[in-house]
Amino acid sequence: MSKVMMNAKQRGGPVFRTHFGFTMSRNQASKPMDEARGRGFSESPQISVPRRQMEHIASISRSSGLGKDGDTLKNFKVQEEYRGFLRGKVDNVLRRYPQRSTETDKETTARVNAQENVLILFRKLREGIYSSRRTDAFALEVYETSLYLATIFESPKQTTAVIPHLVPALYLKTPSPHNSRLDTVLISLLHHLVATYPSQGTFRQFFDTIPSDFLPRNSAFHIWITSIARSLRSRDYACFSALSSSENISKTGRACHVKPSSHLRIVCEEKSKIHPGRSFGRRIENYQVIMKIRGHG
């Protein structure tokens, strides 16, 4: 067993330090939603729900649209109000529950419960969007944010549930621009590498569904992600280390005419301390998303 793998095993997995210890300002938290505003918000009958009742809006899946207020989240205006309500929930969780390497079991349980609650509320909103067949910029932002938060909160079940509706389906139905599409595709591919590691069957199946213009075959990022997969498959950790170096990722970004993204480069800072398979894949996902939500990339 390599020293890298032993270090990871002794620590029980990756340790997240200062990168999780941040709070997100209201402006940062609302940035993805604000970008969507005006680019697809549809007119819908005005139904205003008091903020104190937002927590108890009926879920489409639980009510089947038959109970009292069972169709409330199918209304576009309510969906937008509910998204604003969720912004406050995300702010609160990131502020109150930063993940620390020194947290106690009790603190871990409290953090995970709070994170899962936020993800469940986002799932409720996605159900309303799906049931209303909404496919505009607002819908895209909700699905993208759901994916990013599920990745940060290390909830593979939620991540797996979001991806099929988002890539490529929702991008194909939603008018441009798709500013976060490349990030989303890479995060989704990395998730599939992580979720079934060391098997790559699901990764390959998903890869085959991605339209060529989403990740052009000869592009630097296409070559990068397939090389990452190959190095993990062959357990060539020396190659993996080279591919995941900060310098190589910056070079890849420049070759794709993408600004060398700190959300890709920062992942390399502590890569030598963790398992080069499952743990590193999860860290790539987490750091990409963290830097994205903070507005650095």
Side-chain angles (χ1 to χ4, degrees):
M1 181 180 293
S2 70
K3 184 176 181 181
V4 172
M5 295 173 68
M6 290 177 65
N7 287 343
K9 186 174 182 180
Q10 290 169 358
R11 292 200 322 278
V15 175
F16 298 90
R17 295 188 177 88
T18 58
H19 296 298
F20 271 89
F22 69 88
T23 58
M24 189 164 60
S25 71
R26 182 165 299 278
N27 287 339
Q28 290 170 321
S30 62
K31 183 178 180 181
M33 186 177 180
D34 290 341
E35 289 177 349
R37 212 171 267 284
R39 293 194 293 106
F41 276 47
S42 301
E43 293 299 326
S44 187
Q46 298 291 313
I47 299 178
S48 182
V49 180
R51 190 170 184 83
R52 64 181 179 277
Q53 295 180 16
M54 286 289 181
E55 191 97 43
H56 305 293
I57 287 181
S59 168
I60 300 292
S61 62
R62 289 183 177 274
S63 67
S64 300
L66 299 176
K68 182 181 179 181
D69 300 325
D71 286 337
T72 302
L73 272 176
K74 290 184 179 180
N75 180 274
F76 287 12
K77 178 64 176 177
V78 174
Q79 291 170 4
E80 291 158 20
E81 291 179 355
Y82 195 75
R83 178 63 183 91
F85 163 73
L86 292 184
R87 185 190 302 133
K89 287 285 188 180
V90 173
D91 283 343
N92 183 61
V93 168
L94 293 175
R95 182 178 64 254
R96 293 186 59 190
Y97 301 100
Q99 184 171 354
R100 297 183 294 266
S101 60
T102 57
E103 68 183 6
T104 65
D105 290 344
K106 184 177 180 180
E107 289 171 334
T108 299
T109 299
R111 173 178 55 78
V112 170
N113 287 343
Q115 291 172 345
E116 284 297 319
N117 182 59
V118 167
L119 295 178
I120 288 170
L121 295 178
F122 266 93
R123 183 183 66 193
K124 184 189 294 188
L125 177 55
R126 293 197 310 274
E127 289 175 354
I129 290 171
Y130 182 80
S131 296
S132 64
R133 300 185 180 183
R134 186 171 187 172
T135 56
D136 59 5
F138 174 83
L140 183 62
E141 185 276 328
V142 170
Y143 273 86
E144 286 178 338
T145 302
S146 295
L147 174 66
Y148 304 152
L149 289 175
T151 300
I152 290 178
F153 296 161
E154 299 183 19
S155 180
K157 180 174 68 174
Q158 294 282 352
T159 306
T160 300
V162 173
I163 291 174
H165 296 283
L166 180 56
V167 183
L170 194 53
Y171 284 112
L172 293 175
K173 298 175 183 177
T174 308
S176 298
H178 298 146
N179 297 326
S180 301
R181 189 175 70 186
L182 178 60
D183 284 343
T184 300
V185 168
L186 290 174
I187 289 170
S188 300
L189 286 166
L190 289 165
H191 165 74
H192 285 300
L193 277 177
V194 171
T196 58
Y197 179 82
S199 170
Q200 293 188 6
T202 304
F203 167 79
R204 290 308 317 177
Q205 290 174 10
F206 175 71
F207 205 111
D208 291 341
T209 70
I210 299 174
S212 59
D213 59 326
F214 283 29
L215 189 64
R217 184 173 182 80
N218 294 321
S219 70
F221 272 121
H222 185 287
I223 295 170
W224 179 76
I225 191 66
T226 54
S227 298
I228 286 284
R230 183 168 56 251
S231 67
L232 291 175
R233 186 168 61 251
S234 62
R235 301 181 188 277
D236 186 345
Y237 298 132
C239 178
F240 177 87
S241 180
L243 288 168
S244 58
S245 70
S246 178
E247 294 78 9
N248 187 69
I249 292 175
S250 295
K251 180 180 177 181
T252 302
R254 290 193 297 271
C256 286
H257 305 291
V258 174
K259 179 182 178 181
S261 308
S262 55
H263 66 267
L264 278 172
R265 287 185 282 110
I266 199 170
V267 70
C268 304
E269 290 184 359
E270 299 181 19
K271 71 177 178 59
S272 63
K273 300 179 183 178
I274 60 179
H275 189 294
R278 183 183 300 271
S279 298
F280 181 69
R282 184 164 66 241
R283 177 160 293 214
I284 288 178
E285 292 182 291
N286 285 333
Y287 278 132
Q288 279 188 315
V289 173
I290 288 169
M291 298 309 292
K292 180 177 182 58
I293 288 182
R294 293 181 70 183
H296 295 298

